[in-house]
Amino acid sequence: MGIFDDDETPRPTTSGIVVGEPLSNLSIHELNERLEQLKEEIKRVENEIKTKSNINASAESFFK
């Protein structure tokens, strides 16, 4: 079992949002809810990118 094995594990979707699904059947309220969920997910992803970037920078400086 390697360090990156879990990167290939399928992740369940909990929000019910399927990227690329047709939006024409959703109400304005549903579209706004979807948009808020996506904005929160973007923030979460950006925070994870920052965290991993900081870890990489720390590791690189340690091994110089």
Side-chain angles (χ1 to χ4, degrees):
M1 188 173 218
I3 191 169
F4 298 110
D5 286 348
D6 64 336
D7 286 358
E8 296 179 21
T9 303
R11 291 171 174 80
T13 55
T14 57
S15 67
I17 292 176
V18 177
V19 176
E21 75 178 316
L23 302 175
S24 58
N25 293 330
L26 300 176
S27 69
I28 291 173
H29 176 73
E30 290 170 323
L31 289 168
N32 283 324
E33 284 182 348
R34 179 185 177 100
L35 185 58
E36 289 305 313
Q37 290 175 348
L38 290 168
K39 286 178 182 178
E40 288 300 316
E41 183 65 8
I42 288 169
K43 288 179 192 174
R44 192 174 75 88
V45 170
E46 288 173 339
N47 287 336
E48 187 65 22
I49 289 170
K50 286 178 189 175
T51 298
K52 289 186 179 211
S53 294
N54 290 338
I55 291 169
N56 285 347
S58 295
E60 286 177 12
S61 68
F62 179 76
F63 290 107
K64 282 187 179 184

